[in-house]
Every structure is written in C-alpha cells, then in structure tokens.
C-alpha cells in the first residue's frame, strides 16, 4: 500500500505545501497513523554564470529596427530585418478590359509604397531621432529549408540583387512633417512610407515606370505567378532587406508591414481608385539581423559577482543545478518540490526613460536543447522546460522544477549504464539556460509561440561564480 499510495499522497501534499510553510501535521490529515508521512525541507546551492550569445534563431514574428546604447552597461545593439510578402491565394483583380490603361494601352500602377506601422507602445528611445534606412531587393528568396540565425548577413551571403531596387530614406517615429491638426485625427497613425515609384528594371532587362507596374503587368501576363505566396515569392518578389545606414537612439518595433499597389479601374462608366495589398505575415519568412558590441558584452560576462540577461542575442545566464546532491542526499525519499528564484540587482542609476527594461518573460531549458527548442517551435512542458515572468518583487521564480531534477538524474543514470565516460562526454548534463523570450499569438489565435526576445531587454541578476543561488527542496517519506 505504501508504494502505490505515495504518489497520489505526494501530489496532494504538494498542493498543500504551496499554501503553507507549516508541514508538521500534513501527514495526519491524509492517511492513518501507521502510514503517516514525514516531510523535510533542505536548501541546496546552484551556481550561475553569464554566457555570451553569438546569435539566436532569427525566424520570428516581431520586427525591430534601429540602434541604441544601453546606458547601464555601455553596450550597443543594432537590429535590421528581411521580409517577404504574402499573397492571397488565387488572387482576382478586375478583368483587363476594366482596367485604366496608359497612353500606350498598357497596365500601369499609379503608385507603389511599403508601409511600416509603428507599435509605439513597444518602441524604445527618442521619438524624434532620425534613422536612415536602405531598402534593398533580394536576388532570391530566403530558403524555407535553411535555418537562419541573427548573425546571418544577406549582403555577405550574396542575397542582395545587383542593380536591383535600392531605396534610401530618413524617418523618425514622430513625423513632424504633418501638421498638428492632421496628427490629431483619430485615423492618423505614424508610419514609415517607402515610395517605390522610381523606374524599375527586372532581371530580364524590362523597365517599368515603378515597382507596382512590374507586379500588375505580370499578374495579367503570368497569372500562375499569383497562385499562392510561394509562387509569388519565387517568381516576382523574393523580398527586401531593410538595412540601417545611419542613426542612433531609437529601436522601433513595427507591428505591420504592407505593400500597396494603387491602380484605377472602370465600373459602370465610373473610374475607381483602389490598391492591391500584400503584407509580411507569419505565413512567410521574416528574419532579424542583430549586431552587438561583442567586446563590451565580453567584459560583462567576465564579471563573477553577478550574471546578466541581455536581449536581443546578448547574454544568457547558465545555471548548474545540484542534481546529484539533491537525489543522493535523500535517496530513499520522494522529491516533492524544488523551487529557485533569481533576483534582480538594482542598476545603481537614477530612473531614466532610456534605461532598458528587464525582460518580462524568461524560459529555463537544458543548455544542450537551446537550438532545437526554437528551431522546432517547441512549447514549454513543465518537465524539461519552464517559463516564468518577472514578479513585482523583482524575482524570476520557478516554483517547482522537480520534474527537471528527476529527468536529469535519470538521463545520467541511463548514460552511465551504457558508457562509463558519459559524464565527460556530456558536460552540460546538469546545466540549464535562462533565456529572454516573447510569447506571441500564431496564426491560430489560441496558440502562443515562444521565440527569442528580439526586442530590448537587460537586467543584472544576483549570482555569479562566487555567489551561489539557494534552492529550496521539499522531500517526503513514510514514517517508520
């Protein structure tokens, strides 16, 4: 009876333990005197260190652009991106007989623009800082079969089309070229409007009056190009690279990226103006290129008196868990609960709107599973991976990682059973990483996608080589 009932009793006990720290009488309320449980609590030490991140998986659902300096650490970070455009399947435009043609009896777009919509609540920096952006046409699409990381350089890898579309503009988040009365309108939104109305020459040497005309004429000449997004991207519009040419002090987040091609058509002797819209959505590729100040980050990593979390693609905190100490110290007991909290250290700087905020959400995952977790779009399972948010008392608390301790212990036992040198071959077997992440809705609104945090986040944590972190562990056993 003792063996069979202990698991169920332990689960009930864990729920009660979470409500009270007084465990002296829990056993008597669960079972009879002969099977009374005895609980014990013990503290163990975990060791942490900062880990410099070369790059992170960069296929993402959030788009950032700009360059800023962290006033706390003096480090710089620059973010650029590549984007493809989605096309509605089996798109239908007016019959060519309804279209308004030019003087040469040809389809012509009135204009073509790319609109970048600011997500102002998640932008950082001075809204009046000017940034210079280059928009460069890709020579070929990003591959669905390639894994892109944030250090991928499209120019160095020959992805930019020579003599292709190349546009530059300067913008700020608050566009003061509009009057206050216009900016006060409810319908007004600060956006970056990129005009693509200069003459455009395609790869076959055909020149059009603008990029939109190139798209429209191909629709009527080659409707098969518009069967779906894949056809559109691989025949006409492989995408664009949005490069930061100059500017410092703003990190803009774009909530939406649209391409609009305006044209005119006739209906019942009336002429109408409308547009063909295409957006950069989750169904097509978006990738982020991140450039960090590696030397400055390396100096932070060498600080043994604390650890850091810095995003995007900056520094993670690695934790060495005392798996053997926990499992061997109570070999005959059941592991009920393992909790650990990572506390923030104050920056020591006066409050400023330009201090980077601490990441709101982090994930704990085994060090060796970092790449596969994000590349395979996995979800956290509360067995080997755990997510927590920053609490009001400035802690990242993982309230029960007992499943992880048990899993790591079993992995080691199984490994040693087949290879006595298993531990030396798997030096990260008892290590986990704390990684800043963002949770965003996928195309299925009910599903949250976990991705590396591409926005700004920075914090200093208590810990480091000479400052172990305390872990609280609760055990249970039957009283003899």
């Amino acid at each position: 009876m003792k063996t069979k009932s202990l698991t169920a009793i332990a689960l009930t006990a864990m729920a009660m333990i979470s409500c009270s720290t007084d465990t002296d009488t829990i056993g008597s309320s669960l079972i009879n005197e002969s099977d009374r449980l005895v609980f014990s609590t013990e503290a163990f030490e975990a060791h942490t260190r900062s880990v410099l991140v070369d790059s992170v998986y960069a296929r993402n659902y959030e788009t950032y652009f700009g360059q800023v300096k962290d006033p706390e650490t003096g480090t710089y970070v620059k973010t650029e991106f590549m984007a493809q455009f989605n096309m509605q399947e089996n798109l239908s435009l007016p019959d060519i007989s309804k279209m308004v043609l030019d003087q040469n009896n040809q389809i012509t777009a009135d204009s073509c623009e790319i609109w970048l919509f600011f997500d102002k609540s998640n932008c950082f920096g001075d809204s009046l800082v000017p940034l210079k952006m280059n928009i460069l046409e890709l020579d070929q699409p990003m591959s669905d079969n390639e894994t892109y990381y944030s250090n991928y350089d499209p120019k160095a890898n020959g992805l930019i089309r020579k003599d292709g579309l190349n546009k530059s503009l300067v913008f700020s988040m608050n566009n003061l070229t509009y009057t206050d009365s216009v900016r006060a309108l409810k319908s007004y939104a600060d956006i970056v409007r990129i005009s693509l109305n200069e003459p455009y020459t395609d790869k076959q040497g055909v020149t059009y009056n603008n990029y939109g005309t190139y798209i429209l004429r191909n629709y009527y000449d080659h409707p098969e190009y518009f069967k779906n997004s894949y056809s559109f991207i691989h025949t006409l519009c492989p995408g664009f690279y949005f490069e930061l040419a100059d500017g410092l002090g703003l990190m803009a987040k774009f909530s939406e990226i649209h391409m609009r091609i305006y044209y005119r058509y006739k209906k019942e002797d009336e002429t109408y103006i409308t547009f063909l819209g295409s957006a950069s959505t989750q169904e097509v590729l978006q990738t982020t290129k991140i450039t960090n100040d590696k030397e400055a980050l390396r100096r932070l990593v060498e600080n043994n008196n604390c650890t850091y979390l810095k995003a995007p693609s900056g520094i993670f905190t690695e934790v060495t868990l005392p798996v053997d100490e926990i499992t061997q110290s109570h070999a005959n007991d059941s592991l009920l609960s393992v909790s650990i909290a990572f506390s923030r250290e104050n920056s020591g700087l006066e409050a400023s709107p330009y201090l980077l905020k601490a990441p709101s959400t982090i994930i704990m995952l085994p060090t060796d599973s970092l790449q596969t977790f994000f590349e395979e779009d996995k979800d956290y399972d509360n067995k080997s991976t755990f997510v927590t948010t920053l609490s009001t008392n400035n802690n990242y608390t993982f309230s029960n990682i007992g499943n992880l301790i048990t899993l790591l212990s079993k992995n080691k036992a199984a490994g040693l059973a087949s290879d006595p040198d298993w531990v030396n071959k798997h030096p990260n077997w008892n290590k986990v990483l704390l990684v800043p992440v963002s949770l965003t809705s996928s195309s299925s609104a009910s599903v949250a996608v976990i991705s590396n945090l591409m926005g700004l986040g920075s914090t200093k944590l208590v810990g480091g080589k000479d400052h172990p972190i305390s872990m609280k562990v609760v055990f249970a056993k039957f009283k003899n």
Side-chain angles (χ1 to χ4, degrees):
M1 177 272 179
K2 290 183 179 180
T3 302
K4 293 181 180 179
S5 65
L6 182 55
T7 299
I9 295 170
L11 291 174
T12 306
M14 286 172 62
M16 298 182 68
I17 289 170
S18 66
C19 299
S20 173
T21 57
D22 184 2
T23 60
D24 292 342
T25 61
I26 290 179
S28 61
S29 66
L30 298 173
I31 51 178
N32 60 37
E33 185 67 24
S34 63
D35 280 340
R36 188 173 183 177
L37 282 174
V38 177
F39 297 89
S40 61
T41 302
E42 192 169 337
F44 295 84
E45 291 184 347
H47 294 270
T48 61
R49 71 183 185 103
S50 296
V51 178
L52 183 63
V53 181
D54 175 68
S55 59
V56 295
Y57 183 58
R59 180 170 183 175
N60 53 281
Y61 304 99
E62 297 182 320
T63 305
Y64 290 87
F65 183 87
Q67 182 173 218
V68 298
K69 179 182 179 181
D70 181 352
E72 181 181 358
T73 61
T75 59
Y76 292 85
V77 59
K78 179 171 70 173
T79 302
E80 302 156 303
F81 66 94
M82 291 183 289
Q84 297 175 339
F85 286 88
N86 193 13
M87 181 57 64
Q88 177 185 339
E89 288 193 13
N90 298 313
L91 173 72
S92 178
L93 295 181
D95 186 84
I96 193 170
S97 63
K98 305 292 185 182
M99 297 291 286
V100 175
L101 307 179
D102 65 9
Q103 63 271 25
N104 297 317
N105 241 13
Q106 290 185 307
I107 297 287
T108 301
D110 289 346
S111 64
C112 178
E113 294 182 330
I114 293 177
W115 290 13
L116 308 177
F117 291 79
F118 289 105
D119 179 356
K120 281 196 163 185
S121 62
N122 289 296
C123 292
F124 175 87
D126 189 339
S127 62
L128 298 179
V129 164
L131 298 179
K132 183 178 181 181
M133 172 188 283
N134 293 335
I135 301 91
L136 306 175
E137 182 185 7
L138 301 186
D139 183 63
Q140 57 191 7
M142 295 174 281
S143 172
D144 291 327
N145 299 319
E146 185 168 343
T147 302
Y148 291 95
Y149 275 73
S150 59
N151 59 355
Y152 182 84
D153 187 340
K155 298 179 87 172
N157 284 276
L159 205 60
I160 305 302
R161 180 190 162 195
K162 295 180 180 178
D163 301 322
L165 187 149
N166 186 333
K167 176 83 177 186
S168 296
L169 81 158
V170 176
F171 70 91
S172 62
M173 189 165 66
N174 284 339
N175 189 344
L176 299 184
T177 60
Y178 293 105
T179 65
D180 290 343
S181 59
V182 171
R183 293 171 58 80
L185 296 173
K186 289 184 178 180
S187 59
Y188 176 82
D190 280 311
I191 62 175
V192 181
R193 297 181 65 166
I194 305 167
S195 170
L196 304 183
N197 292 321
E198 295 78 14
Y200 172 78
T201 302
D202 66 14
K203 291 183 178 181
Q204 285 70 44
V206 179
T207 299
Y208 306 83
N209 69 315
N210 62 44
Y211 190 78
T213 298
Y214 158 71
I215 298 295
L216 287 181
R217 288 186 186 174
N218 272 281
Y219 172 83
Y220 290 98
D221 292 342
H222 300 281
E224 69 275 13
Y225 293 172
F226 293 78
K227 180 180 179 180
N228 51 41
S229 293
Y230 183 89
S231 298
F232 179 70
I233 290 168
H234 284 78
T235 56
L236 288 180
C237 182
F240 300 92
Y241 174 43
F242 297 80
E243 176 188 45
L244 179 65
D246 195 13
L248 173 67
L250 174 66
M251 184 64 71
K253 180 181 180 182
F254 297 123
S255 58
E256 297 180 45
I257 304 173
H258 293 178
M259 181 164 61
R260 296 189 172 194
I261 301 169
Y262 291 87
Y263 62 91
R264 287 172 291 164
Y265 71 99
K266 293 180 179 180
K267 183 179 180 181
E268 298 177 355
D269 296 328
E270 295 285 341
T271 299
Y272 296 88
I273 298 176
T274 187
F275 65 88
L276 166 61
S278 179
S280 183
T281 66
Q282 296 175 9
E283 287 74 23
V284 294
L285 277 172
Q286 291 182 34
T287 65
T288 300
K289 179 176 180 284
I290 299 168
T291 305
N292 270 312
D293 186 348
K294 295 297 185 184
E295 288 305 313
L297 291 178
R298 191 169 287 110
R299 290 194 294 270
L300 299 181
V301 167
E302 292 171 354
N303 184 352
N304 291 323
N305 296 315
C306 65
T307 66
Y308 288 90
L309 293 175
K310 289 191 71 66
S313 184
I315 301 175
F316 298 160
T317 288
E318 185 179 73
V319 187
T320 301
L321 298 170
V323 178
D324 285 341
E325 293 89 333
I326 292 174
T327 57
Q328 293 173 11
S329 64
H330 291 254
N332 297 320
D333 298 348
S334 290
L335 185 62
L336 286 190
S337 174
V338 180
S339 60
I340 185 170
F342 301 92
S343 302
R344 290 186 61 208
E345 285 191 13
N346 291 328
S347 67
L349 299 178
E350 293 183 6
S352 165
Y354 301 117
L355 281 178
L356 303 190
K357 294 182 179 179
S360 61
T361 306
I362 65 173
I363 190 170
M364 175 188 287
L365 75 173
T367 296
D368 287 342
S369 68
L370 175 65
Q371 289 185 312
T372 56
F373 181 86
F374 291 103
E375 289 178 11
E376 297 174 7
D377 287 329
K378 292 183 178 179
D379 195 4
Y380 69 97
D381 57 11
N382 289 322
K383 295 179 181 177
S384 62
T385 52
F386 304 80
V387 165
T388 192
T389 57
L390 182 63
S391 66
T392 54
N393 61 350
N394 276 330
N395 285 334
Y396 296 102
T397 300
F398 295 90
S399 57
N400 188 8
I401 58 170
N403 286 333
L404 176 61
I405 299 298
T406 300
L407 175 64
L408 297 179
S409 180
K410 288 182 176 179
N411 288 346
K412 179 186 177 183
L416 290 175
S418 59
D419 182 0
D421 197 36
W422 183 87
V423 171
N424 290 329
K425 294 177 181 178
H426 299 80
N428 296 328
W429 74 272
N430 59 344
K431 294 178 175 61
V432 294
L433 287 172
L434 305 182
V435 179
V437 294
S438 60
L439 305 180
T440 55
S441 297
S442 69
S443 53
S444 301
S446 61
V447 179
V449 176
I450 300 176
S451 56
N452 287 283
L453 178 60
M454 294 299 177
L456 298 171
S458 179
T459 192
K460 184 190 299 184
L461 300 179
V462 174
K465 179 181 177 182
D466 304 321
H467 303 277
I469 306 298
S470 179
M471 299 177 63
K472 181 181 178 181
V473 182
V474 179
F475 300 93
K477 67 178 179 180
F478 285 107
K479 183 178 180 181
N480 292 331

